[in-house]
Structures are given as structure tokens and as C-alpha cells.
Amino acid sequence: MFLTGLVLWMAAVVIIFVTGNANLIPTVVLLGSFLVPVTFVAWAFERRETGEITDGLIFSTFVSGGVLGVLGASVLEAFLLHPSPWLFFGVGLIEEAVKLGALMMLTRRLRTRTLRDGMILGAAVGFGFAAFESAGYAFTALFSVDGLSLAQLVQTEVLRGLLAPVGHGLWTAILGGILFAASRPQHFRTTAKVVLTYLGVSILHGLWDSMHSIALYLTLVLTEGEQFVATPHGWLVEPSTEQVNIFTAVEWGGLAVVSMIGIAWLLVLWHRTPRPVRIGWGIVRSPVIPAVGP
């Protein structure tokens, strides 16, 4: 699935560059934005535990959950957030809350809720959110002061595609797993563990979004050497080579640390679930453990 989609996306990009046919831009935007999220959701779907998680449910959580999350976050961020040093942590709290709400609404009728299934469905909502958000960023990157820029669009999609596995899908998978593990067939339970997990993934989200600003601040604190350069648009700050190197190392190093924390958290939860056994043609079930006591 991934390789076929990648080849089609690359073919569309090459043909646009060669022919200049702007009608293919939506094809590039959609393929590039959805390729990695859809691939990971399909991979996760094969590791489900119960037959209640059908392809239809995965599709609805991916599409509906993603759209509801993007719309809800846009409205809440417009009304609740204002410029401040804590802006991106507010973004993390809002976006993780709306994704969690979408997950709860779309899975409220499930009779069986396991940690692993919660992680899979949470990942579907998170990757859906990431796909629609990436499509928006790619479309916005298309427009530059010099007109349409296909190069900026492609760069944006490549970067967001590479980072997609350690972003929204990862955070909502963790939160969905903890929510399902704490809940009952009749209703969801908001326990202290669910609240702490929500705050934890929101902090990771906030750190991820604010890493550019953190790296800039640390670079200015640790170094000297920037200078003002005259340009047709006024005086601009030109950083030194040392500052550029330190800024790049701090930003990408910080993103790597946040990613490793999220991945380690996910792996710990994943390995806490019973090892599934495969029955028939690719249907995954957990071993049935008999109840003890009355």
C-alpha cells in the first residue's frame, strides 16, 4: 500500500513539474497527506483484538474523527487561545481533548473495550486528524509571495509525512488505550490515570509544537554573533554559522527526545496486553482467560 501510493505521488509530482498542469495539485496534496497515516492505520487494523473493530469502524474513526477533531480544534483555538509563551501547550490541551471526544463519540456503542483496541482506534482518530491537517498545511504552502510554489508544497508533504508516525497518531493511541483499559462496556470512565495520561500527551504535544521557539531561545541565550543586514524590505537579522548549527541541533534533537518518550510509552502499553493468537484467516483474538470467583 505504501510503496504503491509513494510511486503514484512521485509520478504526479514529476508530471506537474514537466507539464505545469495545475489540475493535478489536489492529487499531490491528497496522496502526500494521506499516504503515511492510511498505511499506519491499515497496519494497526491487522492487530485488532475483537471482531467489533471492523473496517467500517476504522474508516469512520479515521475520517469522521479526523474531521471532527480538526473542526473542533479550529473553533476552540480561535476563541480560547491568545499569543503567549504557553500558546502551544494550550494547542496541545485543546487538540488532544477534541480527538479524545471524537474517539469516545464514535466508539460509544462498543461492547468490548481493551487497551490494545483503544490504542488502534485512538491511532485511527489521530492519524485522521494528522492527514487532514497536513492537507491544509500543504495547500497553504503552495502559495508564496512569488506565486504558486510546487517546491514548497512537496517539501511540506515530505517533512510532515516523515514526522507523521510520531505525532498525532502516537499521542492519541496512548490516550485511547488508557481510556479503553479504564472503561466499562456500558460507559467510559474518566479516572485519574486517564486524566494524567491526557495531561502527559498534551505536554508532549505542546513541547513538539513549541520546539522551534525553544531552540531559538536557547540559541540566543547560549551564543552571540547575529548581525543586522540591510535588504529591500528593511533590516533583517542574519545569524552566524554557529547559531544556525546550534539551532538546528537543538530543534531536531528536542523533537527526537519527544518522539522517543512517546514511542517508549506506547511500547510499554502495547506489551502490557496479552499476546494475541491468530485464528483462521488473519483474525486476531486474545487468549480467553476464565474468570475466577463469583
Side-chain angles (χ1 to χ4, degrees):
M1 180 185 295
F2 175 76
L3 292 178
T4 300
L6 181 62
V7 170
L8 292 174
W9 178 79
M10 293 174 63
V13 170
V14 170
I15 291 174
I16 289 181
F17 273 114
V18 172
T19 65
N21 185 358
N23 291 332
L24 292 177
I25 289 177
T27 303
V28 173
V29 171
L30 291 176
L31 276 176
S33 302
F34 281 78
L35 178 58
V36 173
V38 168
T39 300
F40 267 87
V41 170
W43 176 83
F45 174 67
E46 295 177 347
R47 284 148 183 82
R48 65 197 185 279
E49 285 192 329
T50 65
E52 287 190 89
I53 300 187
T54 62
D55 50 0
L57 179 60
I58 287 289
F59 180 80
S60 67
T61 51
F62 180 85
V63 177
S64 301
V67 172
L68 289 173
V70 170
L71 295 178
S74 298
V75 172
L76 293 176
E77 288 170 4
F79 286 98
L80 299 180
L81 297 183
H82 305 283
S84 74
W86 306 102
L87 173 66
F88 291 116
F89 289 96
V91 171
L93 289 169
I94 289 174
E95 292 188 354
E96 294 309 318
V98 295
K99 287 186 291 181
L100 180 63
L103 174 64
M104 295 172 67
M105 185 187 71
L106 294 168
T107 61
R108 65 190 184 278
R109 300 189 185 280
L110 290 180
R111 293 170 296 176
T112 303
R113 297 189 177 102
T114 66
L115 188 150
R116 181 169 295 205
D117 285 350
M119 294 168 70
I120 293 171
L121 292 170
V125 172
F127 277 119
F129 186 102
F132 287 104
E133 185 181 58
S134 294
Y137 277 110
F139 182 74
T140 303
L142 179 64
F143 301 95
S144 69
V145 293
D146 299 319
L148 299 182
S149 174
L150 185 60
Q152 287 186 183
L153 185 156
V154 172
Q155 291 172 3
T156 300
E157 292 207 313
V158 170
L159 179 61
R160 291 189 67 85
L162 291 173
L163 298 178
V166 291
H168 287 289
L170 173 63
W171 302 323
T172 316
I174 295 171
L175 187 52
I178 296 297
L179 174 69
F180 272 44
S183 298
R184 297 292 179 266
Q186 296 80 12
H187 60 276
F188 289 104
R189 297 175 61 212
T190 307
T191 63
K193 193 171 185 179
V194 172
V195 174
L196 290 175
T197 302
Y198 163 70
L199 294 176
V201 296
S202 297
I203 290 173
L204 291 180
H205 191 153
L207 287 172
W208 179 277
D209 287 351
S210 59
M211 195 55 64
H212 182 89
S213 300
I214 293 173
L216 179 61
Y217 175 78
L218 292 177
T219 301
L220 293 177
V221 168
L222 298 174
T223 63
E224 296 180 357
E226 68 275 5
Q227 58 183 346
F228 290 95
V229 178
T231 71
H233 303 289
W235 291 86
L236 298 178
V237 175
E238 181 177 341
S240 65
T241 302
E242 179 189 14
Q243 288 179 319
V244 172
N245 294 335
I246 292 177
F247 172 81
T248 303
V250 172
E251 182 178 23
W252 286 100
L255 293 177
V257 170
V258 173
S259 301
M260 288 187 289
I261 292 173
I263 293 172
W265 192 352
L266 183 78
L267 290 177
V268 169
L269 294 178
W270 187 263
H271 290 299
R272 281 178 50 190
T273 60
R275 188 176 184 85
V277 296
R278 193 169 295 272
I279 302 173
W281 294 94
I283 301 175
V284 179
R285 297 288 186 271
S286 293
V288 178
I289 303 176
V292 177

